[in-house]
Amino acid sequence: MSESAPESGKRTGGRHRWRVAVASVLVALACILTPVAVTAAWADDEVGDTDRFVATLGPLSSDPAVQAEGADRVAAAVVQAVDVGSLTDALRQALGLDLDGSGPFSGSLQSLLRGVTDQATRAFVTTDAFDLVWRDALRIAHASALRALEGKDDATVTTSGGEVVLDLGPMVDRVRQSLVDRGFSIATNIPSTEQRFVLLHRDGLRKGQDAFRFLETAGTWLPILVVVLFVVGVCVAPRRRPVLMWAGLGTLLALLVLAIGLVVARRYYLDELPREVSRDAAAAVFDALVRFLRETTRTLAVIAAAIAVAAFLVGPARPAPGIRRTLAAGPDAAGGALARTGLGTGSVGRFVAARRGPVYAVVGLLGAVWLALWNHPTWSSVLLIVVVVLAVVALLEVVAAAGSGRPA
């Protein structure tokens, strides 16, 4: 017997160390993959879905910077489309003057056309019609963007040096009709034309093509893999509470790295823009495109922080016991008061008091299910669920104290 006991202890210690090592590796791998999984889900849900893409960038039609950039591009296209020289020659011929498509007369006519067109385009971009044209152009541009990210060529985007653009031709047609309606009959000479509004520049896209292909494929299975790694890692660990706490902290740190990466990517993207492109408009497009990714990062960060704090507070390390006593003082006092007034909870309260751990685990699990069923949750919705779960736990503490007649 004296020899078998040490051998049994060695086997138990060996299994313990093995489980700790496996749990550590699984949780560390899950933390490292979390930013990649979040980005992959964003690429699959946001960039790869046309309806969501249009819904995300559609509101930019009311952004002042985008409106100003669009108005400038359309106005420039209208002026460039008009053959001012030919119109000047026609007027000179009607007046019996020498034909010369240049000179102050031509410049005055061009200035007049530019001024009237600027007014018409800036009025147009504030209307509902601009919003409709903008969304239609986004839908067409999204197909071009996907082909660009997939490395395919089409008439709008080429993998060798093209750009993802919006065709402002329909907007030029609307402005031309607006000028005619205002009595500016010279606008009838404006032909249909193509004018580009650069939505995404290909310098950055070309570098991200390989990454996009991977993220698009991994958008579905990688988040599931990360969740499985976390669950298995926590379950394998001999002491689950510390592993759960470090998993929350590790995830929080990984998401912080992702948030910093988005800030760096935004600055790099804006610094690489051509001079003729409005930085304010480009920044508005970038911010709208990554809004879901940023919101998801914040939401998961709140979840990770809540898990880490909860795992710490249920442990023995200081000051967790003192915090628990302080938080339980109110519900315990309320439950004791109910019991003394004859409103005790009886066997129900005693059941909750005796099985507090499993009961609270069920409450937490229901909160997790609620969060999982929430379509695109935000950090505020996570805080709401946390508050509701804490309120239910506090109510159960009152029930437990009222069943026993003394603090739980």
Side-chain angles (χ1 to χ4, degrees), residues 47 141-166 196-213 268-270 272-274 276-277 282 285-286 289:
V47 180
H142 182 261
S144 297
L146 286 181
R147 283 190 287 270
L149 289 169
E150 293 168 357
K152 300 177 181 178
D153 293 345
D154 65 11
T156 304
V157 180
T158 61
T159 57
S160 59
E163 296 171 319
V164 178
V165 299
L166 294 180
R196 304 190 314 163
F197 180 92
V198 179
L199 185 64
L200 295 174
H201 290 268
R202 283 298 315 281
D203 289 341
L205 289 176
R206 186 167 53 250
K207 297 176 182 178
Q209 285 175 351
D210 293 338
F212 176 79
R213 295 190 190 99
Y268 175 80
Y269 172 74
L270 295 179
E272 294 297 316
L273 289 174
E276 65 273 14
V277 177
V285 172
F286 182 92
L289 191 61

Side-chain angles (χ1 to χ4, degrees), residues 13-66:
R15 287 196 299 268
H16 180 88
R17 288 191 294 269
W18 177 83
R19 291 172 62 185
V20 169
V22 172
S24 301
V25 171
L26 292 177
V27 171
L29 183 60
C31 292
I32 294 173
L33 290 178
T34 294
V36 184
V38 173
T39 308
W42 165 77
D44 184 51
D45 189 39
E46 183 81 13
V47 180
D49 186 273
T50 299
D51 292 334
R52 186 164 179 81
F53 180 83
V54 174
T56 299
L57 296 186
L60 287 178
S61 61
S62 60
D63 185 272
V66 173

Side-chain angles (χ1 to χ4, degrees), residues 361-373 385 389:
V362 171
V363 174
L365 180 61
L366 291 177
V369 172
W370 182 12
L371 178 63
L373 295 177
I385 294 175
V389 169

